[in-house]
Amino acid sequence: MGWLDSLRGAAILLVVVLHAGEALRFTDEGIPAFIETFNQFLEPFRIPVLMFLSGLLLPRSLSKPAATYFAGKGARVGWPYLLWSVIILGASANLTPANLAEIAYFPPTYLWYLWFLLVFYAVAFPLRRIPPLYPSLAAFIASPVLPNGGMFEMLAFLVGFFFLGAWTAQNWDAALRFTRSWWVVALSAAAAAVVALLSAREVAVLYQTQFAWGVVGALVLAAWLFPLVSRGRAGHWLEFVGRNSIVFYVTHLAPIMITVALADAVGLSGPWLLYPTLLILGIGIPLGVAYVYSRDDHASVTLLFEFPRVLRPRRVGRGARRAKA
């Protein structure tokens, strides 16, 4: 459904908005309070929503043979994670044997989201005959008892939403009917708003099971709102971003950080001029790359985001929609 791509596109753009704001911390004037509060307001939702959307595609993926399943995840998630981790480490002069080894077991760059996805897909396959609601509930129960603020607590919380997405896909019609009641949407909006406001007031709600109801509320609200948004031109644009989310995720930070470095070199630190520039470049450059990638005409560009095609069958049709990361 197009609105699911639109939602994915909105979530990935909010990641760009976050990183553009965080980049201002490297300037003399720092990040303005308004931008920091705005990012804090949205912080509880970005990554859990993306994980939920990835989980929605899990049942269809698991219906494929094991070789196809793992080859697809390796080509579309594992390959860009490995390639861009090496590129980022090299560009930052951190391409050491220790950091290279770390790519396999602890992501050394901002590409940790892709590493988490690989772990979740690996775990999902042996659990494919178990109703996904069970591992989702188990993960949410386990998360609070794991070391607070550690990677395993975060991993358990996010895999809970990953399997919750798979369960929702299996019960899609019932889930949609649930979101059509005005009182459900109103309560969901209130739940999301409460958690967002707590986050903006610097209460620790991120990846905390006791506040997961706020993320669920945001998902219900999105299921009501985004089918309306997707009907317009903005919705079509967000769909394109969502279908090419891997491009935006792996490429957006480089133009942001390069621009901050150049601005510092020339003495430009005014956030109200620099921040819009970071957003324009952080979205515009990946948008251009995504356009070239979507046309499927340039093997060198495709190589940046998919395993080399020479080793696997060619996709049918120019600009065919790609499986979502």
Side-chain angles (χ1 to χ4, degrees):
M1 294 184 181
W3 69 267
L4 291 172
D5 283 332
S6 296
L7 178 57
R8 181 188 294 273
I12 207 71
L13 289 179
L14 288 176
V15 172
V16 180
V17 169
L18 169 67
H19 288 163
E22 290 298 310
L24 293 177
R25 298 187 188 279
F26 295 94
T27 65
D28 291 338
E29 296 189 31
I31 179 172
F34 171 78
I35 296 174
E36 185 167 20
T37 300
F38 177 75
N39 278 326
Q40 284 288 113
F41 187 83
L42 295 171
E43 187 177 52
F45 311 116
R46 297 180 185 92
I47 300 300
V49 167
L50 286 170
M51 284 299 183
F52 177 86
L53 292 172
S54 293
L56 280 175
L57 301 172
L58 182 63
R60 187 174 67 179
S61 294
L62 288 174
S63 67
K64 302 172 183 177
T68 304
Y69 175 82
F70 285 108
K73 303 314 173 191
R76 301 268 171 80
V77 183
W79 171 255
Y81 169 68
L82 175 62
L83 176 64
W84 282 89
S85 292
V86 173
I87 291 173
I88 293 165
L89 290 173
S92 58
N94 289 313
L95 194 61
T96 64
N99 285 336
L100 280 174
E102 224 178 4
I103 292 172
Y105 65 88
F106 189 85
T109 71
Y110 66 91
L111 301 182
W112 61 266
Y113 169 76
L114 298 181
W115 186 85
F116 271 38
L117 270 182
L118 289 171
V119 173
F120 296 169
Y121 284 128
V123 169
F125 191 79
L127 300 179
R128 63 191 180 280
R129 303 193 188 283
I130 299 175
L133 188 59
Y134 293 158
S136 175
L137 292 175
F140 284 131
I141 292 170
S143 181
V145 301
L146 293 170
N148 186 41
M151 183 182 73
F152 290 107
E153 179 193 34
M154 179 179 170
L155 189 146
F157 181 88
L158 291 175
V159 81
F161 275 99
F162 181 75
F163 280 110
L164 183 63
W167 177 83
T168 302
Q170 293 179 347
N171 299 272
W172 186 249
D173 291 337
L176 280 186
R177 285 196 301 271
F178 182 73
T179 65
R180 295 299 179 260
S181 300
W182 69 266
W183 62 271
V184 170
V185 174
L187 286 176
S188 298
V194 168
V195 169
L197 288 170
L198 288 173
S199 179
R201 294 180 65 86
E202 299 187 357
V203 176
V205 301
L206 184 63
Y207 309 137
Q208 301 296 310
T209 294
Q210 59 267 37
F211 296 104
W213 45 270
V215 181
V216 173
L219 287 167
V220 172
L221 182 61
W224 171 79
L225 178 62
F226 273 81
L228 304 176
V229 172
S230 64
R231 298 173 187 171
R233 181 174 298 179
H236 294 306
W237 183 74
L238 286 174
E239 282 183 37
F240 176 81
V241 175
R243 289 196 302 271
N244 297 279
S245 58
I246 185 67
V247 178
F248 285 82
Y249 182 70
V250 302
T251 64
H252 75 277
L253 196 57
I256 288 174
M257 297 311 298
I258 290 172
T259 302
V260 168
L262 292 175
D264 180 65
V266 299
L268 176 63
S269 60
W272 298 113
L273 174 61
L274 184 56
Y275 186 61
T277 304
L278 296 179
L279 287 179
I280 291 170
L281 295 176
I283 295 173
I285 291 177
L287 185 64
V289 176
Y291 174 74
V292 176
Y293 173 56
S294 68
R295 289 180 60 83
D296 200 24
D297 289 338
H298 300 275
S300 59
V301 174
T302 302
L303 177 64
L304 295 173
F305 309 105
E306 298 180 28
F307 195 70
R309 184 180 296 136
V310 68
L311 300 180
R312 55 188 184 81
R314 182 177 176 83
R315 286 169 294 159
V316 177
R318 173 183 286 184
R321 291 189 178 186
R322 290 162 171 79
K324 315 299 187 300

